């Protein structure tokens, strides 16, 4: 099954620009879930607050997660991300739910798999794929959280590797086609995830399509840990990746020059899923689907991308506008470097 899905994925990427889904968190806010909704029956007596733990909703409100996936599939998404952005023991420690990590990732992948299979069955010419979402955790291996002790680190590479490996095993077991290491603000964290995935490739004797997506944090054009777009690309290019790209932090128009750097220097497919503009004073995203599609038009006219979607503030309406736009354009052609 793995080989068949990989072949299907590569075949689609060579033919057209693939569409990634939009924001899960933005959609879940519409449900206005409260503490008791997050807890459900199973966790009603949990000793610690759990509101805000969106990954937990895969266990307590699975119908909502499936509904969000289907809305994005209906809008034209080819790739659906699992609801596992915080699915490591490191991030789950905030809720004292480290022991649930395997189950959270496994069940989240199963929900996404079911939705994708349903839509692939409806239209076999447009196969849908599950991307296991691997967030950056809330720790950084490169920077000290204590300004008075610059040599201090709150996490080690080995701790990250172990945590990421557990998450990746569950995502694969649950039916993920792709592993997506995303919203990378510290490339050393990402390297730990990539090391863990490479171990799994060896142990299981499979080739795992890996998407890597960094985050340019501001107008400096650098990640939080200080890398330029080109340095980021060089840092992750030791593995045979499916794609490299950027997501989050910036709106579509601000992301263009950094995508140009990737497109002109990478032998991998290039992905982008920007925010719906920059947040307003209330933390909301105001960019309309039409605004966002108009800005993304520059990407496709310049031949910069192979995979496109949306991050914070994007909805199925945004994804539909993007999908309608990109179907009129060919994908970026891969460069061959000697």
């Amino acid at each position: 099954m793995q080989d068949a899905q990989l072949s299907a994925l590569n075949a689609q990427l060579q033919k057209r620009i693939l569409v990634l889904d939009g924001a899960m968190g933005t959609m879940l806010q519409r449900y206005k879930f409260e503490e008791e909704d997050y807890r459900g029956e199973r966790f009603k007596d949990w000793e610690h607050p759990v509101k805000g733990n969106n990954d937990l909703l895969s266990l307590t409100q699975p119908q909502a997660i499936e509904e969000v996936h289907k809305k994005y599939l209906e809008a034209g998404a080819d790739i659906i991300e699992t609801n596992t952005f915080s699915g490591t023991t490191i991030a789950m420690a905030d809720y004292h739910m480290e022991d649930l990590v395997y189950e959270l990732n496994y069940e989240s992948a199963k929900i996404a798999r079911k939705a994708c299979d349903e839509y692939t069955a409806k239209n076999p010419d447009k196969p849908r794929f599950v991307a296991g979402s691997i967030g950056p955790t809330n720790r950084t291996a490169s920077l000290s959280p204590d300004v008075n002790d610059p040599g201090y680190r709150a996490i080690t590479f080995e701790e990250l590797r172990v945590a990421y490996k557990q998450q990746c095993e569950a995502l694969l077991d649950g039916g993920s086609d792709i592993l997506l290491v995303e919203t990378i603000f510290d490339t050393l964290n990402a390297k730990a995830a990539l090391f863990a995935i490479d171990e799994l490739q060896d142990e299981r004797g499979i080739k795992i399509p890996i998407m890597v997506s960094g985050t340019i944090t501001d107008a400096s054009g650098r990640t939080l840990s200080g890398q330029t777009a080109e340095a980021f690309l060089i840092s992750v290019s030791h593995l045979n990746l499916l794609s490299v790209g950027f997501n989050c932090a910036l709106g579509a128009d601000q992301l263009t020059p950094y995508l140009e750097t990737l497109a002109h220097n990478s032998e991998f497919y290039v992905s982008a899923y920007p925010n719906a503009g920059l947040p307003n004073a209330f933390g909301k995203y105001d960019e309309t689907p039409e605004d966002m599609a108009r800005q993304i038009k520059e990407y496709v006219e310049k031949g910069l991308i192979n995979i496109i979607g949306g991050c914070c503030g994007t909805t199925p309406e945004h994804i539909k506008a993007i999908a309608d736009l990109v179907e009129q354009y060919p994908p970026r052609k891969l460069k061959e470097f000697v």
Side-chain angles (χ1 to χ4, degrees):
M1 183 61 179
Q2 185 81 24
D3 289 343
Q5 283 294 87
L6 181 56
S7 297
L9 179 60
N10 280 318
Q12 293 298 314
L13 279 164
Q14 286 164 27
K15 285 195 295 191
R16 59 195 180 87
I17 297 170
L18 295 192
V19 177
L20 191 68
D21 60 4
M24 174 62 77
T26 299
M27 295 299 290
L28 290 176
Q29 285 171 10
R30 296 181 175 184
Y31 289 86
K32 296 183 165 53
F33 287 137
E34 296 297 336
E35 181 73 26
E36 59 269 24
D37 302 305
Y38 277 86
R39 287 174 176 265
E41 184 63 26
R42 178 174 168 186
F43 301 100
K44 65 179 183 179
D45 298 323
W46 197 256
E47 293 179 359
H48 309 278
V50 296
K51 185 179 178 182
N53 185 357
N54 285 349
D55 293 29
L56 182 62
L57 295 173
S58 292
L59 302 183
T60 57
Q61 303 290 339
Q63 73 290 343
I65 303 302
E66 185 175 356
E67 193 171 66
V68 172
H69 287 329
K70 287 184 174 180
K71 284 179 177 173
Y72 281 123
L73 289 163
E74 197 63 43
D78 300 289
I79 303 170
I80 293 293
E81 291 185 59
T82 56
N83 179 41
T84 54
F85 186 79
S86 300
T88 56
T89 49
I90 297 161
M92 280 295 141
D94 288 353
Y95 302 97
H96 304 269
M97 288 184 157
E98 298 96 320
D99 290 346
L100 290 171
V101 161
Y102 184 91
E103 184 183 3
L104 284 170
N105 285 280
Y106 179 79
E107 292 300 329
S108 295
K110 276 182 68 178
I111 294 168
R113 176 82 272 149
K114 178 172 176 278
C116 283
D117 288 349
E118 190 177 310
Y119 274 77
T120 298
K122 286 181 186 177
N123 183 4
D125 292 335
K126 185 179 166 69
R128 313 299 177 100
F129 305 94
V130 177
S133 169
I134 302 163
T137 82
N138 48 7
R139 304 284 177 89
T140 166
S142 291
L143 303 170
S144 171
D146 183 355
V147 293
N148 297 311
D149 186 1
Y152 172 71
R153 296 293 181 269
I155 194 83
T156 66
F157 184 92
E158 178 61 11
E159 287 168 332
L160 285 163
R161 182 197 67 79
V162 170
Y164 281 130
K165 189 171 182 181
Q166 182 186 18
Q167 180 180 27
C168 292
E169 285 176 322
L171 288 170
L172 291 172
D173 293 347
S176 298
D177 302 303
I178 301 162
L179 292 179
L180 168 55
V181 182
E182 64 170 323
T183 321
I184 298 163
F185 60 81
D186 180 352
T187 306
L188 191 54
N189 284 36
K191 279 179 169 289
L194 294 173
F195 190 93
I197 295 169
D198 206 27
E199 279 189 322
L200 282 173
Q201 290 191 122
D202 287 343
E203 289 170 10
R204 298 192 177 198
I206 57 173
K207 174 157 172 38
I208 302 168
I210 307 166
M211 294 177 65
V212 168
S213 186
T215 292
I216 299 293
T217 50
D218 54 36
S220 70
R222 294 174 181 267
T223 64
L224 185 67
S225 55
Q227 285 191 311
T228 62
E230 190 169 12
F232 168 73
L233 173 63
I234 293 166
S235 295
V236 297
S237 291
H238 58 291
L239 275 184
N240 183 20
L241 303 176
L242 178 74
S243 70
V244 64
F246 289 117
N247 73 291
C248 203
L250 302 177
D253 55 345
Q254 294 100 346
L255 208 52
T256 306
Y258 313 117
L259 290 175
E260 287 178 326
T261 296
L262 297 184
H264 297 153
N265 294 287
S266 174
E267 61 202 83
F268 309 124
Y269 294 115
V270 170
S271 72
Y273 49 116
N275 292 344
L278 297 175
N280 62 26
F282 303 101
K284 303 291 185 185
Y285 295 85
D286 299 324
E287 210 159 77
T288 67
E290 294 72 29
D291 289 338
M292 199 168 174
R294 188 167 57 251
Q295 292 168 29
I296 284 171
K297 191 174 183 182
E298 183 178 5
Y299 299 177
V300 290
E301 287 180 338
K302 289 183 173 180
L304 301 181
I305 56 167
N306 304 93
I307 302 169
I308 184 71
C311 204
C312 303
T314 57
T315 65
E317 292 75 28
H318 289 83
I319 296 307
K320 184 173 191 321
I322 292 167
D324 289 346
L325 167 74
V326 300
E327 70 178 2
Q328 305 165 46
Y329 291 85
R332 165 183 163 271
K333 285 189 166 42
L334 291 195
K335 293 182 180 297
E336 291 187 9
F337 293 89
V338 178

